[in-house]
Amino acid sequence: MATTQPRTTQPLSRNQTQSALIAGAVAHTIFQTGWFAFGMSLAALVATALFGNIIGTITRGLGGDDPNAVLRALDGGSDLLFWVVVSFLIGSLILIGLAILVSGWMLSAAGLRAPWKVTMAAVGIAALVDIALFWVYVGLANLLTESRLAGPVLLTPVIALVGGILVGSLIWWFVALAQREKIPAVVSAPAPGAVPPPAAKPDAGKPAVATPDAATPAAAKPATAKPTAKD
């Protein structure tokens, strides 16, 4: 009778496990830096635009001898700040792309299955997790120091570096485990020429049916008197 074994997954080798952990630590540190810089650059860009509009509105409302000179100075400063923010945006995108390349190269060198798929899935998960972790890092920095400047500015990057290494290693390792190769089910059949199992014996609990035995003599029949000749 054929039997089927359930589908299993190919385990990761020691080298593959180490490569996934190291790739997560390195790639996520680079990605996290670019991701945070991208978010802060976008926030700075929006704040710059709003600040410039507010200052322009106030200046025009107050008037003055030469309000246009003030506006021109503000416009010059706004243009310079705009290009600074744009350069930060471009740099952050370069860091994100570099993190993807580094992760894919390290996982490919280790022989992991679908290294680029693992990389993109891990980066997507990290992008969502890092949004929440950013505020966790800032909160921890404020708890560890009473200085409002040293906490967010100096201590937050240190905590984010340590946390990014640990979180990245776990995310990349988890995704690598999820993308392991599936081993197909194995069906085993009886070998040719195998002796079939013996037929089932009758149940001993059932009463046996009596059968006539040839060796047993038949029941005696009553003798009949033969007619005799009359005299």
Side-chain angles (χ1 to χ4, degrees):
M1 183 177 181
T3 58
T4 303
Q5 297 180 359
R7 294 173 64 92
T8 57
T9 54
Q10 186 73 25
L12 294 177
S13 64
R14 182 177 180 181
N15 183 34
Q16 291 175 342
T17 301
Q18 293 177 351
S19 298
L21 294 174
I22 296 174
V26 176
H28 184 247
T29 300
I30 301 173
F31 171 79
Q32 180 180 254
T33 304
W35 185 238
F36 288 165
F38 180 79
M40 289 185 290
S41 298
L42 283 180
L45 185 63
V46 174
T48 301
L50 292 175
F51 179 76
N53 292 332
I54 292 172
I55 292 299
T57 302
I58 294 174
T59 303
R60 287 191 295 270
L62 294 176
D65 296 333
D66 191 6
N68 291 328
V70 179
L71 291 176
R72 283 194 299 269
L74 290 174
D75 288 340
S78 298
D79 290 341
L80 178 61
L81 186 59
F82 171 79
W83 288 110
V84 170
V85 173
V86 169
S87 64
F88 271 101
L89 283 174
I90 296 174
S92 63
L93 293 176
I94 292 175
L95 287 177
I96 293 174
L98 180 62
I100 295 174
L101 292 177
V102 169
S103 174
W105 176 77
M106 294 183 68
L107 296 180
S108 299
L112 256 74
R113 178 177 178 269
W116 296 103
K117 187 176 180 180
V118 171
T119 296
M120 298 308 298
V123 167
I125 296 173
L128 298 176
V129 172
D130 286 342
I131 296 175
L133 288 179
F134 174 78
W135 301 108
V136 174
Y137 298 150
V138 174
L140 288 176
N142 290 328
L143 289 176
L144 295 176
T145 180
E146 296 180 356
S147 175
R148 295 297 180 182
L149 179 62
V153 177
L154 300 178
L155 195 56
T156 299
V158 177
I159 298 176
L161 176 63
V162 177
I165 292 174
L166 296 177
V167 172
S169 298
L170 292 176
I171 291 176
W172 261 252
W173 174 70
F174 175 77
V175 177
L177 286 178
Q179 294 295 332
R180 286 177 298 172
E181 184 178 2
K182 299 294 188 298
I183 300 177
V186 178
V187 179
S188 60
V195 179
K201 295 181 180 180
D203 193 354
K206 296 181 180 181
V209 180
T211 55
D213 191 355
T216 303
K221 296 182 180 180
T224 55
K226 295 182 177 181
T228 57
K230 292 181 180 182
D231 293 338

